[in-house]
mmCIF file of all heavy atoms in Angstrom:
data_model
loop_
_atom_site.group_PDB
_atom_site.id
_atom_site.type_symbol
_atom_site.label_atom_id
_atom_site.label_comp_id
_atom_site.label_asym_id
_atom_site.label_seq_id
_atom_site.Cartn_x
_atom_site.Cartn_y
_atom_site.Cartn_z
ATOM 1 N N ALA A 1335 64.378 135.857 147.537
ATOM 2 C CA ALA A 1335 65.062 137.075 148.000
ATOM 3 C C ALA A 1335 64.236 138.317 147.667
ATOM 4 O O ALA A 1335 64.062 139.204 148.514
ATOM 5 C CB ALA A 1335 66.451 137.165 147.371
ATOM 6 N N LEU A 1336 63.719 138.377 146.463
ATOM 7 C CA LEU A 1336 62.900 139.525 146.070
ATOM 8 C C LEU A 1336 61.624 139.605 146.909
ATOM 9 O O LEU A 1336 61.209 140.691 147.317
ATOM 10 C CB LEU A 1336 62.567 139.447 144.579
ATOM 11 C CG LEU A 1336 63.759 139.684 143.645
ATOM 12 C CD1 LEU A 1336 63.433 139.233 142.226
ATOM 13 C CD2 LEU A 1336 64.174 141.151 143.666
ATOM 14 N N ALA A 1337 61.024 138.461 147.178
ATOM 15 C CA ALA A 1337 59.800 138.422 147.993
ATOM 16 C C ALA A 1337 60.046 138.932 149.406
ATOM 17 O O ALA A 1337 59.133 139.462 150.047
ATOM 18 C CB ALA A 1337 59.241 137.005 148.027
ATOM 19 N N ARG A 1338 61.264 138.793 149.889
ATOM 20 C CA ARG A 1338 61.608 139.260 151.245
ATOM 21 C C ARG A 1338 62.165 140.680 151.250
ATOM 22 O O ARG A 1338 62.673 141.161 152.263
ATOM 23 C CB ARG A 1338 62.607 138.312 151.880
ATOM 24 C CG ARG A 1338 61.970 136.963 152.184
ATOM 25 C CD ARG A 1338 62.896 136.131 153.015
ATOM 26 N NE ARG A 1338 62.199 134.972 153.507
ATOM 27 C CZ ARG A 1338 61.921 134.758 154.782
ATOM 28 N NH1 ARG A 1338 62.294 135.621 155.688
ATOM 29 N NH2 ARG A 1338 61.295 133.674 155.149
ATOM 30 N N GLY A 1339 62.113 141.347 150.094
ATOM 31 C CA GLY A 1339 62.526 142.744 150.030
ATOM 32 C C GLY A 1339 63.977 142.982 149.708
ATOM 33 O O GLY A 1339 64.448 144.121 149.756
ATOM 34 N N HIS A 1340 64.711 141.933 149.375
ATOM 35 C CA HIS A 1340 66.110 142.100 148.985
ATOM 36 C C HIS A 1340 66.189 142.513 147.513
ATOM 37 O O HIS A 1340 65.208 142.438 146.780
ATOM 38 C CB HIS A 1340 66.886 140.796 149.206
ATOM 39 C CG HIS A 1340 66.905 140.350 150.633
ATOM 40 N ND1 HIS A 1340 67.589 141.026 151.621
ATOM 41 C CD2 HIS A 1340 66.296 139.309 151.247
ATOM 42 C CE1 HIS A 1340 67.421 140.410 152.778
ATOM 43 N NE2 HIS A 1340 66.628 139.362 152.576
ATOM 44 N N GLU A 1341 67.359 142.907 147.089
ATOM 45 C CA GLU A 1341 67.588 143.317 145.704
ATOM 46 C C GLU A 1341 68.476 142.295 145.005
ATOM 47 O O GLU A 1341 69.442 141.811 145.591
ATOM 48 C CB GLU A 1341 68.278 144.693 145.680
ATOM 49 C CG GLU A 1341 68.608 145.180 144.291
ATOM 50 C CD GLU A 1341 69.423 146.468 144.281
ATOM 51 O OE1 GLU A 1341 69.598 147.093 145.346
ATOM 52 O OE2 GLU A 1341 69.895 146.843 143.197
ATOM 53 N N ILE A 1342 68.139 142.000 143.763
ATOM 54 C CA ILE A 1342 69.031 141.215 142.905
ATOM 55 C C ILE A 1342 69.673 142.223 141.956
ATOM 56 O O ILE A 1342 69.039 142.708 141.025
ATOM 57 C CB ILE A 1342 68.279 140.114 142.118
ATOM 58 C CG1 ILE A 1342 67.524 139.174 143.070
ATOM 59 C CG2 ILE A 1342 69.264 139.340 141.235
ATOM 60 C CD1 ILE A 1342 68.405 138.365 144.008
ATOM 61 N N PHE A 1343 70.929 142.556 142.231
ATOM 62 C CA PHE A 1343 71.624 143.568 141.431
ATOM 63 C C PHE A 1343 71.847 143.088 140.001
ATOM 64 O O PHE A 1343 71.613 143.816 139.051
ATOM 65 C CB PHE A 1343 72.970 143.925 142.093
ATOM 66 C CG PHE A 1343 73.797 144.876 141.284
ATOM 67 C CD1 PHE A 1343 73.454 146.214 141.212
ATOM 68 C CD2 PHE A 1343 74.922 144.430 140.594
ATOM 69 C CE1 PHE A 1343 74.209 147.098 140.450
ATOM 70 C CE2 PHE A 1343 75.685 145.311 139.843
ATOM 71 C CZ PHE A 1343 75.325 146.645 139.764
ATOM 72 N N ARG A 1344 72.304 141.842 139.876
ATOM 73 C CA ARG A 1344 72.587 141.300 138.536
ATOM 74 C C ARG A 1344 72.647 139.789 138.631
ATOM 75 O O ARG A 1344 73.069 139.224 139.629
ATOM 76 C CB ARG A 1344 73.922 141.846 138.032
ATOM 77 C CG ARG A 1344 74.334 141.323 136.665
ATOM 78 C CD ARG A 1344 75.524 142.089 136.093
ATOM 79 N NE ARG A 1344 75.126 143.481 135.861
ATOM 80 C CZ ARG A 1344 75.880 144.543 136.156
ATOM 81 N NH1 ARG A 1344 77.073 144.393 136.674
ATOM 82 N NH2 ARG A 1344 75.440 145.773 135.923
ATOM 83 N N VAL A 1345 72.240 139.145 137.532
ATOM 84 C CA VAL A 1345 72.446 137.708 137.355
ATOM 85 C C VAL A 1345 73.375 137.569 136.162
ATOM 86 O O VAL A 1345 73.061 138.038 135.064
ATOM 87 C CB VAL A 1345 71.121 136.954 137.110
ATOM 88 C CG1 VAL A 1345 71.389 135.463 136.964
ATOM 89 C CG2 VAL A 1345 70.130 137.211 138.239
ATOM 90 N N PHE A 1346 74.525 136.942 136.397
ATOM 91 C CA PHE A 1346 75.527 136.780 135.341
ATOM 92 C C PHE A 1346 75.578 135.309 134.945
ATOM 93 O O PHE A 1346 75.838 134.442 135.772
ATOM 94 C CB PHE A 1346 76.911 137.239 135.827
ATOM 95 C CG PHE A 1346 77.917 137.351 134.739
ATOM 96 C CD1 PHE A 1346 78.015 138.502 133.967
ATOM 97 C CD2 PHE A 1346 78.782 136.296 134.459
ATOM 98 C CE1 PHE A 1346 78.953 138.606 132.947
ATOM 99 C CE2 PHE A 1346 79.726 136.398 133.448
ATOM 100 C CZ PHE A 1346 79.808 137.554 132.686
ATOM 101 N N PHE A 1347 75.294 135.041 133.683
ATOM 102 C CA PHE A 1347 75.294 133.683 133.151
ATOM 103 C C PHE A 1347 76.636 133.426 132.476
ATOM 104 O O PHE A 1347 77.028 134.165 131.559
ATOM 105 C CB PHE A 1347 74.138 133.511 132.157
ATOM 106 C CG PHE A 1347 72.792 133.679 132.802
ATOM 107 C CD1 PHE A 1347 72.207 134.936 132.898
ATOM 108 C CD2 PHE A 1347 72.119 132.595 133.332
ATOM 109 C CE1 PHE A 1347 70.970 135.101 133.502
ATOM 110 C CE2 PHE A 1347 70.884 132.749 133.940
ATOM 111 C CZ PHE A 1347 70.304 134.004 134.024
ATOM 112 N N TYR A 1348 77.321 132.390 132.942
ATOM 113 C CA TYR A 1348 78.697 132.123 132.536
ATOM 114 C C TYR A 1348 78.833 130.650 132.164
ATOM 115 O O TYR A 1348 78.004 129.828 132.572
ATOM 116 C CB TYR A 1348 79.609 132.494 133.706
ATOM 117 C CG TYR A 1348 81.069 132.662 133.407
ATOM 118 C CD1 TYR A 1348 81.513 133.205 132.213
ATOM 119 C CD2 TYR A 1348 82.024 132.285 134.342
ATOM 120 C CE1 TYR A 1348 82.861 133.373 131.962
ATOM 121 C CE2 TYR A 1348 83.375 132.452 134.102
ATOM 122 C CZ TYR A 1348 83.784 132.995 132.910
ATOM 123 O OH TYR A 1348 85.116 133.162 132.657
ATOM 124 N N HIS A 1349 79.847 130.298 131.427
ATOM 125 C CA HIS A 1349 80.066 128.923 130.969
ATOM 126 C C HIS A 1349 78.785 128.402 130.307
ATOM 127 O O HIS A 1349 78.168 129.126 129.540
ATOM 128 C CB HIS A 1349 80.558 128.027 132.104
ATOM 129 C CG HIS A 1349 81.817 128.497 132.760
ATOM 130 N ND1 HIS A 1349 82.999 128.635 132.064
ATOM 131 C CD2 HIS A 1349 82.070 128.877 134.037
ATOM 132 C CE1 HIS A 1349 83.938 129.074 132.882
ATOM 133 N NE2 HIS A 1349 83.403 129.237 134.083
ATOM 134 N N ASP A 1350 78.362 127.175 130.623
ATOM 135 C CA ASP A 1350 77.136 126.636 130.026
ATOM 136 C C ASP A 1350 75.880 127.348 130.523
ATOM 137 O O ASP A 1350 74.799 127.186 129.947
ATOM 138 C CB ASP A 1350 77.010 125.131 130.303
ATOM 139 C CG ASP A 1350 77.900 124.302 129.394
ATOM 140 O OD1 ASP A 1350 78.330 124.813 128.340
ATOM 141 O OD2 ASP A 1350 78.159 123.134 129.741
ATOM 142 N N GLY A 1351 76.010 128.152 131.552
ATOM 143 C CA GLY A 1351 74.874 128.930 132.043
ATOM 144 C C GLY A 1351 74.307 129.885 131.011
ATOM 145 O O GLY A 1351 73.144 130.277 131.100
ATOM 146 N N VAL A 1352 75.114 130.254 130.009
ATOM 147 C CA VAL A 1352 74.611 131.153 128.969
ATOM 148 C C VAL A 1352 73.449 130.527 128.198
ATOM 149 O O VAL A 1352 72.640 131.239 127.605
ATOM 150 C CB VAL A 1352 75.727 131.603 127.993
ATOM 151 C CG1 VAL A 1352 76.835 132.343 128.735
ATOM 152 C CG2 VAL A 1352 76.280 130.450 127.182
ATOM 153 N N ASN A 1353 73.341 129.205 128.233
ATOM 154 C CA ASN A 1353 72.244 128.534 127.532
ATOM 155 C C ASN A 1353 70.878 128.876 128.133
ATOM 156 O O ASN A 1353 69.853 128.611 127.504
ATOM 157 C CB ASN A 1353 72.456 127.020 127.520
ATOM 158 C CG ASN A 1353 73.598 126.639 126.604
ATOM 159 O OD1 ASN A 1353 73.688 127.111 125.472
ATOM 160 N ND2 ASN A 1353 74.483 125.797 127.095
ATOM 161 N N ASN A 1354 70.848 129.477 129.306
ATOM 162 C CA ASN A 1354 69.602 129.975 129.873
ATOM 163 C C ASN A 1354 69.057 131.147 129.069
ATOM 164 O O ASN A 1354 67.881 131.469 129.176
ATOM 165 C CB ASN A 1354 69.812 130.423 131.323
ATOM 166 C CG ASN A 1354 69.978 129.267 132.267
ATOM 167 O OD1 ASN A 1354 69.007 128.681 132.700
ATOM 168 N ND2 ASN A 1354 71.224 128.935 132.582
ATOM 169 N N GLY A 1355 69.898 131.802 128.288
ATOM 170 C CA GLY A 1355 69.535 133.040 127.610
ATOM 171 C C GLY A 1355 69.166 132.920 126.148
ATOM 172 O O GLY A 1355 69.053 133.935 125.465
ATOM 173 N N THR A 1356 68.947 131.725 125.631
ATOM 174 C CA THR A 1356 68.540 131.606 124.233
ATOM 175 C C THR A 1356 67.021 131.560 124.123
ATOM 176 O O THR A 1356 66.351 130.861 124.883
ATOM 177 C CB THR A 1356 69.153 130.375 123.532
ATOM 178 O OG1 THR A 1356 68.634 130.301 122.203
ATOM 179 C CG2 THR A 1356 68.864 129.090 124.273
ATOM 180 N N ARG A 1357 66.480 132.299 123.185
ATOM 181 C CA ARG A 1357 65.028 132.317 123.007
ATOM 182 C C ARG A 1357 64.533 131.113 122.225
ATOM 183 O O ARG A 1357 63.329 130.925 122.066
ATOM 184 C CB ARG A 1357 64.576 133.620 122.353
ATOM 185 C CG ARG A 1357 65.071 133.835 120.940
ATOM 186 C CD ARG A 1357 64.649 135.233 120.461
ATOM 187 N NE ARG A 1357 65.323 135.582 119.240
ATOM 188 C CZ ARG A 1357 64.811 135.409 118.039
ATOM 189 N NH1 ARG A 1357 63.614 134.912 117.893
ATOM 190 N NH2 ARG A 1357 65.501 135.748 116.966
ATOM 191 N N TYR A 1358 65.430 130.277 121.754
ATOM 192 C CA TYR A 1358 65.023 129.101 120.983
ATOM 193 C C TYR A 1358 64.799 127.865 121.853
ATOM 194 O O TYR A 1358 64.577 126.781 121.339
ATOM 195 C CB TYR A 1358 66.052 128.782 119.901
ATOM 196 C CG TYR A 1358 66.041 129.791 118.770
ATOM 197 C CD1 TYR A 1358 67.216 130.194 118.173
ATOM 198 C CD2 TYR A 1358 64.855 130.347 118.325
ATOM 199 C CE1 TYR A 1358 67.221 131.110 117.147
ATOM 200 C CE2 TYR A 1358 64.854 131.278 117.303
ATOM 201 C CZ TYR A 1358 66.027 131.660 116.711
ATOM 202 O OH TYR A 1358 66.013 132.567 115.698
ATOM 203 N N THR A 1359 64.839 128.008 123.157
ATOM 204 C CA THR A 1359 64.545 126.896 124.048
ATOM 205 C C THR A 1359 63.050 126.584 123.975
ATOM 206 O O THR A 1359 62.217 127.466 124.129
ATOM 207 C CB THR A 1359 64.915 127.263 125.496
ATOM 208 O OG1 THR A 1359 66.307 127.554 125.545
ATOM 209 C CG2 THR A 1359 64.603 126.139 126.454
ATOM 210 N N VAL A 1360 62.729 125.313 123.717
ATOM 211 C CA VAL A 1360 61.330 124.894 123.637
ATOM 212 C C VAL A 1360 61.176 123.604 124.448
ATOM 213 O O VAL A 1360 61.184 122.503 123.901
ATOM 214 C CB VAL A 1360 60.889 124.663 122.172
ATOM 215 C CG1 VAL A 1360 59.399 124.341 122.111
ATOM 216 C CG2 VAL A 1360 61.218 125.868 121.307
#
Side-chain angles (χ1 to χ4, degrees):
L1336 290 165
R1338 291 190 169 247
H1340 299 291
E1341 178 186 351
I1342 303 296
F1343 176 74
R1344 179 169 296 137
V1345 181
F1346 191 85
F1347 297 88
Y1348 196 36
H1349 303 299
D1350 282 341
V1352 300
N1353 289 313
N1354 287 278
T1356 176
R1357 65 185 168 95
Y1358 289 142
T1359 300
V1360 185

